[in-house]
Amino acid sequence: MRKSINTILISMLLCSPVTFAFDSVRRVEPLNWWVGMSNPKLQIMVTAPGAKQSWALKRYDGVTLESVEFGDSPNYAFINLNISEKAKPGELELSSNDDKYRFYYTLSARAKGSADREGFSTKDVIYLITPDRFANGDEHNDSLPTMKEKADPTFRGGRHGGDLAGVITHLDYLQKLGVSQLWLTPALLNDMETYSYHGYSITDLYQVDPRMGDNSLYKTLSVEAKARGIGLIMDMVPNHIGSEHPWMNDLPTQDWINYKGQFVGTSHARQTVQDTHASEFDKKRFTDGWFVPTMPDMNQRVSFLGNYLTQNAIWWIEFADLSGFRVDTFPYSDKTFLQFWLKSILAEYPNFNIVGEEWTSEAGISAYWQKGHQNKDGYESYLPTMMDFSLQQALVKALNEEENWNTGWIHVYQSIAKDFQFADPNHLLIFGDNHDMSRIYTQLHQNVKNTKLAMTLLLTMRGIPQLYYGTEVLLDNGESDDHGDIRIDFPGGFKNQQANAFTGEGLSREQREMQLYTEKLLEIRNNYPALQNGGLIHFSPFDEMYAYARGDEHPILIILNKGNVQKTVDMNRFAEIIRGKVSATELLSGQKYELENVMIGAKSALLLAL
């Protein structure tokens, strides 16, 4: 029986580290599609020498070829199909007018309930991993002859060998820890000369980097994680590609890359998006400028590219059964494109969740992008979730500063008090650190007790908590703020390490204590809905303490003491929360408390279930 050309293409892309070519048809993207999608339109991008010509579709019930469009290069064709409701799974046959090219394109059946999938939510705790630095599950793919950069574990900016197999091997550890969502920094192909380990210079948007595994293994990761109650979040990068991407040698249109494909740096002046006085020059320089010369900035105003990026996102959701996206450098993309991209994805998956990175402590700038926010310029965003950099910075200041009326906990209080600016503050992603900043233990000057207080707040506060891998065992980048040191190897994930965080062997007493404390906090959060989606009332800081309550019917009162001495807490200030109750159970210790004057230890927390 004849095996379809595109089936072979997909099979080789899923299982092989090499790029497949057939009859000089270099690429057909998306790799396949599905019947029964909300949007019947599909634009297939064909890459082949001389592809700029007429194309025909052999008769297929329910599918019509509406048009073929072209850019500036003679080597691309954009075939516009309409896939109606009556179309069935099968293979489309498409051929070029000169009959030089012919390929078979697979239409698949969607998984049951795919459109109704639930995205990550306030019920979840996200665990962020830089896969090259987490665990090496397959040493055979560390260095490959087809890849430009080889493994160099001794170089902080080199590839250390972590991969998808390593993550899969340790899913039981993540399940035991208590996390319910997994966010990997990009695992797609980064065939760059140097610094390819971080994943943000993508050179193929449809292929997992073979040093990480392949598409099939990525799908296995999703399946195995889901079997343990863990969803998979993909890190999407619609703003830029890597300079070694094949497009850079043959741009589909002359304006495919901003500034005519030549490096002009971004200003990083994110406020220009909302600034009613901003010049057009400054607006363009922010969104169109490149981060670095090795990251060409894509011009999503080109309709072909906008369609390509949107279909690519939908393809990964459907193919890998994803529960969410984290969008890198969100505001740097064209904001009209972002509307189209988000609206298209959420039309297919109404309950899907997407979180955007807007690195600012200014709530007003961040709130601009969240779905439901009424913007003065009339711009309507469809982004459900934002990263809460304001709370992250406030938390570090609060725990590092001496307490006074305008220092210490007041930063956290004021950050939370700005929630009125957000359309939905419960859908803010809260975190102590991530892959782009010093580790929280480092930021808190290696103070274990303060790190515990930080984790307590993050796992009991409103929002969706995210932990960076190794926070639970006090990973530390010391005096260095080099990203290669921030993204340190996870203990036990690589050969010849003295400690193993997966088993607990070789960890210091403080590391093991922190690990168990994190597990306990996660257990409590997972067992008490009030900490997931309950209302929030907080109290102005007092006597080196910050307190807040979660939940309505059965509230939990959280009191955090950063002071160096034991304190007596006058519970009368919490009368509106206590409402006549006389006792509570402290969730960390299980101890019973009478709700009169409560004692709290130095640099410790109370979680009082009333």
Side-chain angles (χ1 to χ4, degrees):
M1 180 177 177
R2 175 186 55 78
K3 193 171 185 180
S4 81
I5 294 167
N6 214 47
T7 300
I8 296 171
L9 170 64
I10 293 168
S11 175
M12 294 193 73
L13 280 170
L14 297 187
C15 304
S16 170
V18 300
T19 301
F20 175 73
F22 179 84
D23 262 3
S24 299
V25 175
R26 295 173 186 157
R27 300 279 294 181
V28 176
E29 299 164 292
L31 305 183
N32 68 288
W33 205 245
W34 292 267
V35 297
M37 302 296 282
S38 173
N39 182 4
K41 307 287 187 181
L42 174 66
Q43 185 169 90
I44 299 176
M45 181 179 180
V46 179
T47 306
K52 192 173 183 178
Q53 57 177 297
S54 298
W55 288 77
L57 168 69
K58 185 176 180 180
R59 180 178 174 81
Y60 190 100
D61 286 346
V63 182
T64 55
L65 192 159
E66 293 190 333
S67 64
V68 182
E69 298 179 272
F70 311 103
D72 300 311
S73 169
N75 302 320
Y76 299 91
F78 299 89
I79 302 173
N80 297 308
L81 302 180
N82 188 301
I83 305 169
S84 73
E85 291 180 359
K86 69 178 185 178
K88 305 295 183 186
E91 291 178 343
L92 307 179
E93 182 179 334
L94 292 125
S95 58
S96 60
N97 185 52
D98 63 5
D99 212 30
K100 180 179 180 182
Y101 303 120
R102 186 177 304 271
F103 65 91
Y104 298 85
Y105 192 81
T106 301
L107 292 181
S108 304
R110 300 182 76 181
K112 185 178 179 180
S114 177
D116 299 321
R117 71 184 62 233
E118 290 291 330
F120 65 91
S121 71
T122 58
K123 300 176 188 175
D124 292 306
V125 176
I126 299 169
Y127 194 81
L128 165 60
I129 289 176
T130 302
D132 181 67
R133 305 299 171 87
F134 186 65
N136 190 344
D138 181 3
E139 294 182 359
H140 296 97
N141 65 11
D142 291 359
S143 294
L144 296 171
T146 55
M147 298 288 99
K148 293 182 176 71
E149 186 177 17
K150 314 305 178 187
D152 186 359
T154 62
F155 175 41
R156 59 168 55 145
R159 301 192 75 94
H160 290 192
D163 49 30
L164 298 181
V167 179
I168 293 170
T169 299
H170 297 294
L171 285 172
D172 288 342
Y173 168 80
L174 300 182
Q175 182 184 26
K176 182 176 181 292
L177 187 64
V179 299
S180 55
Q181 296 286 341
L182 180 58
W183 157 24
L184 304 184
T185 56
L188 299 183
L189 183 66
N190 269 242
D191 195 12
M192 303 288 289
E193 296 284 352
T194 57
Y195 286 94
S196 65
Y197 79 93
H198 56 72
Y200 289 96
S201 298
I202 299 172
T203 57
D204 190 329
L205 290 161
Y206 278 100
Q207 185 181 355
V208 165
D209 195 301
R211 291 160 295 190
M212 293 282 178
D214 57 26
N215 287 20
S216 180
L217 195 62
Y218 188 80
K219 194 168 188 175
T220 298
L221 168 62
S222 179
V223 171
E224 290 295 324
K226 193 171 184 178
R228 293 164 174 81
I230 300 173
L232 184 59
I233 299 169
M234 190 176 214
D235 203 327
M236 299 298 289
V237 191
N239 180 65
H240 53 265
I241 53 174
S243 56
E244 297 299 310
H245 193 291
W247 284 339
M248 298 306 293
N249 296 320
D250 183 15
L251 294 176
T253 66
Q254 291 180 3
D255 55 353
W256 197 263
I257 300 296
N258 284 320
Y259 287 106
K260 299 180 180 180
Q262 301 300 312
F263 173 72
V264 175
T266 177
S267 66
H268 298 290
R270 54 189 20 85
Q271 64 274 9
T272 57
V273 177
Q274 298 91 349
D275 182 2
T276 57
H277 310 295
S279 67
E280 293 303 317
F281 175 88
D282 287 336
K283 291 177 184 177
K284 178 178 173 63
R285 188 62 179 267
F286 168 61
T287 58
D288 291 9
W290 301 20
F291 271 83
V292 291
T294 54
M295 292 180 174
D297 200 84
M298 291 186 283
N299 180 9
Q300 304 104 343
R301 294 178 292 273
V302 175
S303 61
F304 300 135
L305 180 55
N307 286 334
Y308 179 98
L309 294 170
T310 303
Q311 291 177 167
N312 175 258
I314 293 170
W315 188 89
W316 279 109
I317 296 171
E318 200 74 25
F319 171 79
D321 192 20
L322 301 177
S323 63
F325 287 146
R326 177 265 185 181
V327 186
D328 183 61
T329 59
F330 185 83
Y332 289 80
S333 292
D334 179 78
K335 67 179 188 178
T336 302
F337 159 75
L338 289 171
Q339 274 184 321
F340 172 75
W341 189 80
L342 290 163
K343 197 171 182 180
S344 299
I345 294 168
L346 295 172
E348 296 291 350
Y349 311 98
N351 303 316
F352 194 69
N353 201 359
I354 303 169
V355 56
E357 178 196 32
E358 167 57 291
W359 196 321
T360 178
S361 61
E362 296 295 330
I365 291 177
S366 186
Y368 178 89
W369 296 108
Q370 193 178 36
K371 182 179 180 180
H373 191 266
Q374 300 299 308
N375 291 311
K376 191 172 182 179
D377 63 0
Y379 180 76
E380 185 176 5
S381 182
Y382 297 93
L383 183 65
T385 300
M386 295 300 301
M387 296 177 72
D388 193 349
F389 282 91
S390 172
L391 182 59
Q392 189 278 329
Q393 294 177 30
L395 181 58
V396 172
K397 285 182 179 179
L399 291 169
N400 280 337
E401 291 179 353
E402 293 293 326
E403 199 68 17
N404 208 321
W405 69 272
N406 63 345
T407 58
W409 283 123
I410 192 65
H411 296 298
V412 170
Y413 181 81
Q414 291 175 342
S415 178
I416 298 297
K418 294 176 183 176
D419 277 2
F420 71 92
Q421 297 189 58
F422 289 95
D424 185 359
N426 289 322
H427 276 82
L428 295 177
L429 188 105
I430 60 176
F431 54 98
D433 56 7
N434 63 27
H435 58 296
D436 286 327
M437 63 176 65
S438 283
R439 294 198 165 255
I440 186 64
Y441 181 55
T442 306
Q443 292 184 63
L444 296 176
H445 308 304
Q446 295 81 29
N447 187 309
V448 178
K449 291 181 178 179
N450 280 350
T451 304
K452 285 183 177 180
L453 286 174
M455 288 302 102
T456 306
L457 183 139
L458 291 169
L459 290 169
T460 57
M461 180 51 74
R462 62 94 178 105
I464 305 170
Q466 167 247 297
L467 305 180
Y468 191 32
Y469 78 96
T471 296
E472 72 273 21
V473 289
L474 301 173
L475 288 195
D476 179 21
N477 49 284
E479 296 181 2
S480 169
D481 62 357
D482 186 276
H483 281 189
D485 292 324
I486 292 167
R487 302 159 187 169
I488 189 174
D489 291 350
F490 189 84
F494 301 85
K495 280 186 173 179
N496 303 318
Q497 291 177 299
Q498 294 182 344
N500 187 333
F502 299 119
T503 64
E505 183 181 358
L507 294 179
S508 69
R509 179 186 59 79
E510 289 182 330
Q511 284 182 306
R512 182 59 178 154
E513 190 178 284
M514 185 70 197
Q515 190 178 44
L516 293 173
Y517 188 76
T518 305
E519 282 184 21
K520 183 64 178 178
L521 282 172
L522 282 162
E523 179 188 10
I524 292 169
R525 189 180 191 280
N526 292 335
N527 287 333
Y528 286 85
L531 297 176
Q532 302 166 19
N533 48 38
L536 170 67
I537 296 176
H538 71 154
F539 295 81
S540 183
F542 61 98
D543 196 19
E544 299 186 291
M545 286 180 273
Y546 177 54
Y548 51 97
R550 299 294 311 279
D552 302 311
E553 268 190 67
H554 304 287
I556 298 173
L557 178 64
I558 298 99
I559 306 174
L560 306 175
N561 176 22
K562 62 179 269 194
N564 290 315
V565 296
Q566 180 177 267
K567 303 285 179 70
T568 300
V569 183
D570 180 359
M571 302 301 284
N572 288 322
R573 73 169 58 236
F574 308 124
E576 65 194 277
I577 304 300
I578 295 172
R579 295 196 295 267
K581 296 179 177 66
V582 296
S583 65
T585 300
E586 204 289 308
L587 299 179
L588 288 165
S589 65
Q591 183 179 343
K592 295 289 185 181
Y593 278 77
E594 297 301 316
L595 295 176
E596 295 177 350
N597 291 329
V598 170
M599 301 299 294
I600 184 170
K603 287 197 176 294
S604 64
L606 292 177
L607 277 58
L608 299 172
L610 305 180

